[in-house]
Amino acid sequence: MKLLECTDVSVHYRNYYVLKNASFSLEEGQWLMIVGPNGAGKSTIVNAISQGVAYDGKISYLGKDIRKYRPMELAKNIGVLAQNHFVGYSFKVKEVVRLGRYAYARGFFHGDTGESEEQIERALEMTGMEALAEKSVLELSGGELQRVFLAQLFAQNPRILILDEPTNHLDLVYQQQTFALLGNWLKEKGRAVISVVHDLSLAKAYGTDGILLKDGQVTAKGKIEEVFAPANLEYAFSTDVHGWMRKMLRQWE
Amino acid sequence: MRQMKKSEKTVTSKEGYGLAVYLLFTGIMLLTGILCVCVGSVNVPVSDTLKIIGNAILRRPAAPGAASSIILSVRLPRVLCVALTGAALSVCGGAMQGLLKNPLADGSTLGVSSGASLGAAVAIAFEIRLPFLPFSATMAMAMLFAFLSLVAILSLAYRLDCSLSTNTIILIGIIFSMFISSILSLVITFAGDHVKSITFWTMGSLAGSSYGNALVLLAALILCAGIIIWHARELNAFAIGEDNARHIGVNVQRVRLVVLITVSVLIGVCVSIGGSIGFVGLVTPHIVRMLTGPNHKRLLPGAVFAGATFLMLADLAARVILRPLELPIGVVTSFIGAILFVYIYYQSRTVSR
């Protein structure tokens, strides 16, 4: 089933186009990798889908224009993990994760339902943050903070996860764990993942589909193996990516 | 085991205060209030004070003597107005600090209060009157100018720096206040006979307040603080980050507009009654945040009580320090506030490094 469809999505600041006529769709069960060099417009796609930037063109979820959903409704279906997090106040980890349930609770006096509490506990467990639940977010490392917001996203329990550099601040072990976790999450019916990933090996290993961007334009899309064909990558990155990857691999042989 | 875990969960799921804490807050606030009513240029013993107030409430004939009229017609309305203004200004400060994700945001640091006093001054100088309610024109103008100031400040700030960093906020606050004071000087030159009552707005004083003022303040506080506290969850989300708020499903534009209008109305009412009293909205939310954490479900109700208590004590200090001379209340709050401002600024810079 087609979950998300972007048609001719463009983002521009005055005359400068950061994203030009991007069209692609996301099917149930897909893990769509958005790759490309710096400044190619990867994060802009994420921002457009999460309504964080004004865009031309159309993005629809389940056939209905995404702009016509109420924010709460949309949050139950599409969840976004931002690339960077700067928290200024000393909120507890659990308080941040609980906010993931915002779309489900109704106002001040209703509080949180028991189901929410269970979801929060499970989200903390999934990301390995239970031990830090009562800790202030100001005392966490960058990687721990990233996992707090990942936990918030799992508590939000959307059908589509949109992740901008999900393993940006994570060390190797947590990178592996996070990707394995996301892979597991995706196994349930009706779900899909879109992620911006810099590490092309990770993208190739976990992605089912891909979009390759260069200078704000989609230069290749489709199955990940086709998108990552040597000619495509060489064009987008202006260097022999396959050759470079093999050379790096040889360091370990 | 399961039973225990369940009870543990219900405890942790409650984010607001329990009844005991509210009773404690109310107790502290009432004790401070009684202290402030008793102490002044003439000290009245607590038992006499309570008797006088009790008699007045029960509509029994007042005991003869000067103490009765001092307490009932001077001190009590003043202390009530001071408490309500303190509560209102700190809940506004707390809301703005959450909304803008900046612990230095406040009506006075941003220049909203000076904007509101300009509105009041314009209403007085040009004798603007609303047809039915003679006094309300200053109030309406103060509210309107408070809102316009907030809109102007924020649109300028967003244009300069989308993340609304501390430096931008401070800079814009200074520039805006200077701009407003230049216009205020201009208005004063046109004001003629009204100069004296205009300088009152810029100084800030609750010395001559009446029960009527207290009633207006109470109504505004219940309505506006109610709306702000209703949005505690959204403010939590904003305090973590506006993008994050949007991602979890907060209607960012609507909530921001509602909170800004509510804050403007409340600041407008406060300024039209007591003039602009600086830094109250900065001091008390900061103290409450240190005590109970940044969660707005605790911060905002805490700020209501702490603000009332703080401003009553500041007013007491203003009356007592140089007895029989009386300091303007703004002198005391700005003295404490400015020191704390430097401290918070220093802290926020060391944290972000």
Side-chain angles (χ1 to χ4, degrees):
Chain A
M1 189 173 64
K2 193 178 281 179
L3 291 178
L4 197 73
E5 184 161 35
C6 297
T7 327
D8 287 330
V9 176
S10 299
V11 176
H12 60 96
Y13 302 106
R14 299 216 172 86
N15 292 325
Y16 177 69
Y17 277 81
V18 245
L19 191 66
K20 207 167 183 181
N21 297 331
S23 299
F24 61 91
S25 58
L26 181 73
E27 305 269 336
E28 196 180 311
Q30 281 183 343
W31 187 335
L32 182 73
M33 295 287 179
I34 304 179
V35 290
N38 287 331
K42 305 187 293 292
S43 295
T44 308
I45 291 187
V46 172
N47 289 339
I49 299 172
S50 68
Q51 306 294 293
V53 67
Y55 58 89
D56 303 324
K58 193 177 166 189
I59 302 177
S60 48
Y61 173 71
L62 295 178
K64 182 175 154 189
D65 192 334
I66 213 170
R67 289 179 176 120
K68 293 196 177 119
Y69 284 90
R70 284 175 40 240
M72 273 192 179
E73 234 179 300
L74 201 61
K76 288 181 200 168
N77 291 293
I78 301 179
V80 182
L81 181 70
Q83 189 172 3
N84 291 305
H85 308 279
F86 304 101
V87 184
Y89 295 115
S90 61
F91 282 96
K92 284 180 191 158
V93 168
K94 204 171 181 181
E95 288 175 325
V96 175
V97 176
R98 177 174 290 125
L99 273 175
R101 300 300 300 173
Y102 173 80
Y104 298 88
R106 297 177 305 144
F108 191 69
F109 294 109
H110 296 278
D112 296 302
T113 62
E115 187 203 66
S116 287
E117 208 59 30
E118 244 162 61
Q119 300 262 20
I120 293 163
E121 300 287 344
R122 204 168 64 211
L124 285 167
E125 208 176 297
M126 279 165 86
T127 48
M129 294 300 288
E130 308 125 293
L132 301 174
E134 296 298 322
K135 220 175 164 186
S136 156
V137 287
L138 293 183
E139 295 163 18
L140 302 181
S141 70
E144 286 168 334
L145 195 60
Q146 184 79 353
R147 279 152 58 207
V148 172
F149 283 94
L150 193 63
Q152 189 196 57
L153 191 58
F154 283 129
Q156 192 177 326
N157 194 27
R159 288 182 70 180
I160 303 179
L161 294 185
I162 301 182
L163 316 160
D164 195 351
E165 288 284 337
T167 55
N168 211 1
H169 304 272
L170 301 183
D171 62 31
L172 202 64
V173 177
Y174 278 118
Q175 259 184 29
Q176 283 177 352
Q177 283 183 7
T178 306
F179 272 82
L181 186 65
L182 291 169
N184 247 336
W185 181 88
L186 190 57
K187 279 181 190 152
E188 208 158 301
K189 240 177 93 64
R191 291 175 166 177
V193 178
I194 299 179
S195 60
V196 172
V197 175
H198 258 299
D199 187 327
L200 295 176
S201 306
L202 271 177
K204 199 167 159 50
Y206 287 94
T208 61
D209 293 74
I211 319 176
L212 188 59
L213 288 168
K214 182 189 169 81
D215 298 331
Q217 279 174 310
V218 178
T219 64
K221 60 182 173 186
K223 289 281 149 218
I224 196 96
E225 306 81 45
E226 297 159 23
V227 172
F228 276 29
N232 285 341
L233 288 179
E234 187 163 349
Y235 172 71
F237 288 90
S238 314
T239 179
D240 177 14
V241 176
H242 275 239
W244 170 254
M245 287 296 180
R246 287 205 196 88
K247 195 175 150 198
M248 293 316 282
L249 190 62
R250 249 175 273 136
Q251 305 290 320
W252 302 98
E253 279 164 357
Chain B
M1 182 65 206
R2 200 180 154 72
Q3 200 66 46
M4 204 182 88
K5 207 169 176 194
K6 188 136 192 181
S7 69
E8 213 175 70
K9 266 182 193 171
T10 50
V11 170
T12 49
S13 74
K14 199 163 163 51
E15 290 185 279
Y17 295 120
L19 184 65
V21 182
Y22 277 113
L23 285 177
L24 179 72
F25 280 156
T26 316
I28 293 174
M29 190 178 70
L30 284 179
L31 283 179
T32 313
I34 292 168
L35 176 76
C36 292
V37 174
C38 295
V39 178
S41 51
V42 180
N43 289 342
V44 180
V46 176
S47 55
D48 290 3
T49 309
L50 290 178
K51 211 176 283 169
I52 290 167
I53 296 175
N55 281 346
I57 291 173
L58 298 173
R59 302 199 178 282
R60 272 190 243 141
S68 172
S69 73
I70 287 179
I71 283 179
L72 288 180
S73 56
V74 181
R75 281 206 203 136
L76 189 60
R78 174 174 179 160
V79 169
L80 282 175
C81 281
V82 166
L84 290 164
T85 305
L89 289 177
S90 17
V91 90
C92 287
M96 276 198 276
Q97 285 150 28
L99 191 73
L100 302 179
K101 199 189 166 183
N102 191 318
L104 289 174
D106 168 43
S108 54
T109 55
L110 283 176
V112 183
S113 305
S114 29
S117 46
L118 176 66
V122 168
I124 296 166
F126 300 107
E127 296 181 11
I128 297 171
R129 290 212 174 81
L130 293 181
F132 304 106
L133 306 153
F135 180 64
S136 61
T138 36
M139 200 174 276
M141 285 291 278
M143 284 182 209
L144 180 69
F145 271 62
F147 182 67
L148 292 179
S149 310
L150 254 179
V151 170
I153 293 160
L154 292 182
S155 43
L156 191 63
Y158 275 112
R159 252 165 204 281
L160 287 176
D161 162 17
C162 318
S163 65
L164 291 185
S165 73
T166 305
N167 291 344
T168 316
I169 295 267
I170 293 172
L171 195 66
I172 289 177
I174 293 169
I175 295 169
F176 193 80
S177 301
M178 283 161 75
F179 178 67
I180 291 291
S181 74
S182 77
I183 297 184
L184 197 62
S185 310
L186 191 71
V187 171
I188 287 174
T189 55
F190 286 108
D193 311 334
H194 304 293
V195 172
K196 201 162 174 237
S197 48
I198 288 180
T199 37
F200 163 80
W201 301 109
T202 56
M203 295 284 285
S205 167
L206 286 156
S209 28
S210 66
Y211 288 111
N213 291 342
L215 207 63
V216 172
L217 277 169
L218 182 67
L221 180 68
I222 289 173
L223 179 71
C224 297
I227 293 174
I228 290 172
I229 293 174
W230 182 267
H231 285 92
R233 286 164 61 82
E234 286 83 354
L235 285 169
N236 279 342
F238 268 97
I240 286 169
E242 193 181 312
D243 283 332
N244 195 246
R246 188 160 35 76
H247 294 160
I248 60 168
V250 176
N251 191 335
V252 180
Q253 270 98 1
R254 191 185 60 81
V255 171
R256 187 167 40 211
L257 191 68
V258 167
V259 173
L260 287 183
I261 291 177
T262 314
V263 163
S264 313
V265 167
L266 201 45
I267 289 183
V269 170
C270 287
V271 168
S272 70
I273 287 173
S276 68
I277 301 170
F279 291 106
V280 183
L282 186 80
V283 175
T284 46
H286 185 72
I287 294 169
V288 176
R289 206 177 285 124
M290 284 201 300
L291 292 175
T292 69
N295 192 325
H296 286 78
K297 285 187 185 172
R298 290 189 300 271
L299 175 63
L300 294 172
V304 170
F305 289 98
T309 310
F310 169 74
L311 203 60
M312 281 193 289
L313 288 174
D315 186 52
L316 182 67
R319 282 185 287 145
V320 169
I321 288 175
L322 294 178
R323 204 155 41 172
L325 272 180
E326 191 176 298
L327 289 169
I329 188 171
V331 171
V332 179
T333 57
S334 298
F335 184 80
I336 301 169
I339 294 172
L340 191 71
F341 184 93
V342 173
Y343 172 75
I344 302 173
Y345 185 57
Y346 176 76
Q347 286 267 307
S348 67
R349 284 184 69 94
T350 45
V351 164
S352 64
R353 286 279 151 86

